[in-house]
Structure formats: C-alpha cells, structure tokens
Amino acid sequence: MKRDTARAIILTEDEKEIYLLYRKKKENSKIITYYAIPGGMIEENETVEDAVKREIKEEFSVEIELLGYLGSNKTKQGIDYHYHAKIVSGIPKLGGEEKENNREDNYYEIRKIPLQELNKEEINILPVNIEYIEKAIKKDYKKF
C-alpha cells in the first residue's frame, strides 16, 4: 500500500536548534532509538500542505506557517514531502496518536537539538533528513 507522507523542518526562532521527534521502540526484542522529522501520512483528498499542517498540529500541538518546499524523496512505501515551517502559535508538546501510544516500549518525545550536534553519532537521523535540514537552513526552496 502506498504511504505518502508530509514532514516539516521546524527551527527555533534563532535558527540554532531544530525540533525533532525522539523515538525509542522495541523491534524484534531489541530497543532501537532514532530521531524523526515530524509529520505523517497524507490522507485521501488532502493536499500535501494541509497534511503537514494537520500532522504538526496533532503531533506537536502547534500551528505552523509553511515557509517553503524543500523537495521529496521516494521510499519503498511512497513519497516523503519536506517543508520548512515556523511555529506561529502554541508551545510544542506531544499530542495525538504519539501521546496516546506513548509508553516505555514505544516512546515519543519532542526534543530541541542544536544544529551543530546533528552529525554526531548519538543523533541517529537518516542522512536524507540531514540534507533537507541543510536546505531549510539555507532557505533553498523548490517549486512544488
């Protein structure tokens, strides 16, 4: 089944940190940890822009403004669309399914990570995500 997603790179106002979703979950009796760019599935009859705004409101309990489209990448499941966004109202706190399903073996936490720490080994984030973060910092936007 195709699973297209929409994600938002959200930097702090001073652009020195990024909001990421820290994940710790049990998979095949092993605990894995990683960081993810917030966002999620695009629902039927929903625009990519509406999906990313809805997902961030659900996950982070904030309203965002989209600053620019950063690009997309194909995965085995579908297409991941990435946007640069800023918070226009609210203070990030866990909400939605992430809050409801949050437990020791399926843990979610919103974290602010200093940009200079993103390439450190303990910050397990996909390399493609680092590329989109770099584009957001440079405001290297594309046409959708």
Side-chain angles (χ1 to χ4, degrees), residues 19 56-57 59-63 87-95 110 112:
Y19 288 99
I56 300 305
K57 184 171 178 75
E59 289 179 12
F60 277 40
S61 307
V62 297
E63 300 281 341
I87 296 171
V88 292
S89 77
I91 296 170
K93 65 179 184 220
L94 199 60
I110 297 170
K112 282 195 293 188

Side-chain angles (χ1 to χ4, degrees), residues 50-110:
D50 287 344
V52 72
K53 289 176 183 179
R54 175 188 50 75
E55 283 288 341
I56 300 305
K57 184 171 178 75
E58 289 173 5
E59 289 179 12
F60 277 40
S61 307
V62 297
E63 300 281 341
I64 60 169
E65 174 187 330
L66 300 179
L67 301 173
Y69 174 64
L70 300 166
S72 64
N73 59 292
K74 290 185 181 182
T75 68
K76 291 176 185 174
Q77 293 82 21
I79 301 172
D80 290 338
Y81 297 92
H82 293 80
Y83 287 85
H84 182 200
K86 72 175 184 177
I87 296 171
V88 292
S89 77
I91 296 170
K93 65 179 184 220
L94 199 60
E97 288 179 29
E98 289 72 17
K99 183 177 180 181
E100 291 171 20
N101 297 323
N102 201 14
R103 58 186 187 275
E104 191 175 330
D105 66 344
N106 188 43
Y107 183 74
Y108 297 86
E109 181 183 332
I110 297 170

